[in-house]
Amino acid sequence: MCSSDLNGNQIRDGVIQSYRLLEGEAGPGNFSMRLVNIAGRFFSPRHRHNFDQIRFQLAGEFDYDADGKLSAGCAGYFPEGVRYGPQTSDGDTWNLLLQFGGASGSGYMPEADEDRGAAELKARGGRFEKGVYTWYRDDGTKVNQDAYEAIWEQVHGRPLQYPAARYQRPVMINSAHFDWRPDPTQPGVAHRLLGIFSEGMTKLSLIRIEAGNSLALEANSVWFVIKGDGVAGTQRYQAKTSLRTYRQETE
């Protein structure tokens, strides 16, 4: 199941249709996985976050300036504390976006809190434009601040302290250049391991299952079906289905 929303508190520049697939629980292990469609021109200024992100480009292309591009079939790991962008696109794009607390323990802010914070900042008289929140001090001084940073500080009531950058820049990955490696313990299963990141051991992998075979899902993981159909547990799935396993759970 998923829900869609044309975000009323949208803080980036473009027409964004976001489908909420999976969400975690409040705390350091919180996360959000969305299927995101952006039509027409999109712009987001160079910025950073206090959480990790993984993006998988399903259709269209995103340009991250000096950091590289993501075209269909490419993935990107955007570490906490690392600046990236500016980010632009032009046309119809689809990407899978996973945002989650990184190894520093800074966590990931629940999206309900983000929506509330954005609404409060708008009500205070400021405005969001092209990924920037603009407001005026009592003396008339104009202040421009990264949109997400402004929302985080509104919600938490203190300045945002970014984690030290573990990587110099985002990691851009062309998945087509990775070999499929057969799984020695599961017949008919092959893996494309795209990376394991930070001391948090975040694992990013593509998995192929041949018809008539099965896969034991790793515990404490999230999954997205790019193509094909089958059965997970007792439920049938098809393309664009999302799945989640909890700790000590594999099916």
Side-chain angles (χ1 to χ4, degrees):
M1 297 294 291
C2 69
S3 62
S4 68
D5 61 282
L6 191 62
N7 194 346
N9 285 322
Q10 183 173 310
I11 62 175
R12 303 299 178 193
D13 190 45
V15 180
I16 305 171
Q17 185 72 45
S18 178
Y19 298 83
R20 302 185 184 194
L21 302 178
L22 295 170
E23 293 181 321
E25 298 77 33
N30 187 32
F31 73 92
S32 167
M33 187 162 75
R34 290 175 174 243
L35 184 61
V36 182
N37 173 230
I38 300 178
R41 293 184 180 274
F42 172 85
F43 175 81
S44 178
R46 187 169 180 81
H47 65 287
R48 57 181 170 166
H49 292 295
N50 63 336
F51 55 84
D52 277 2
Q53 300 181 89
I54 288 176
R55 300 165 186 254
F56 188 84
Q57 197 72 24
L58 297 165
E61 182 178 83
F62 263 102
D63 189 337
Y64 293 88
D65 200 71
D67 297 319
K69 297 180 180 180
L70 291 183
S71 55
C74 292
Y77 169 61
F78 297 79
E80 59 180 359
V82 174
R83 296 185 186 277
Y84 66 95
Q87 178 184 357
T88 58
S89 68
D90 189 2
D92 194 40
T93 68
W94 288 87
N95 73 87
L96 183 68
L97 173 61
L98 176 64
Q99 299 174 307
F100 55 100
S104 72
S106 297
Y108 175 70
M109 182 167 60
E111 293 187 3
D113 288 352
E114 182 179 346
D115 291 344
R116 173 176 58 81
E120 289 173 356
L121 289 175
K122 286 182 179 179
R124 203 174 74 179
R127 71 177 188 275
F128 292 99
E129 186 176 8
K130 295 184 177 181
V132 174
Y133 178 67
T134 300
W135 56 283
Y136 292 86
R137 295 192 174 98
D138 292 340
D139 63 4
T141 303
K142 181 180 179 180
V143 179
N144 288 330
Q145 186 177 13
D146 175 72
Y148 183 84
E149 180 182 272
I151 293 170
W152 193 97
E153 293 182 353
Q154 172 69 20
V155 170
H156 292 86
R158 66 179 189 273
L160 194 163
Q161 298 295 320
Y162 290 96
R166 290 165 169 78
Y167 298 79
Q168 290 186 348
R169 61 177 58 195
V171 181
M172 301 301 196
I173 303 165
N174 190 334
S175 66
H177 293 174
F178 287 69
D179 293 332
W180 287 107
R181 297 292 176 89
D183 189 318
T185 65
Q186 301 184 87
V189 175
H191 300 257
R192 272 180 172 166
L193 177 60
L194 304 184
I196 299 176
F197 305 105
S198 86
E199 68 271 41
M201 300 295 287
T202 297
K203 180 180 178 181
L204 176 59
S205 185
L206 296 177
I207 299 176
R208 182 178 66 195
I209 311 169
E210 295 179 5
N213 291 276
S214 61
L215 168 73
L217 302 181
E218 292 185 37
N220 196 32
S221 300
V222 293
W223 308 75
F224 180 80
V225 181
I226 297 174
K227 61 181 179 179
D229 58 77
V231 176
T234 61
Q235 302 294 316
R236 294 203 62 83
Y237 67 79
Q238 57 188 357
K240 298 183 180 179
T241 298
S242 54
L243 305 165
R244 178 187 182 184
T245 57
Y246 295 80
R247 296 186 187 278
Q248 311 305 319
E249 180 186 27
T250 57
E251 59 180 41

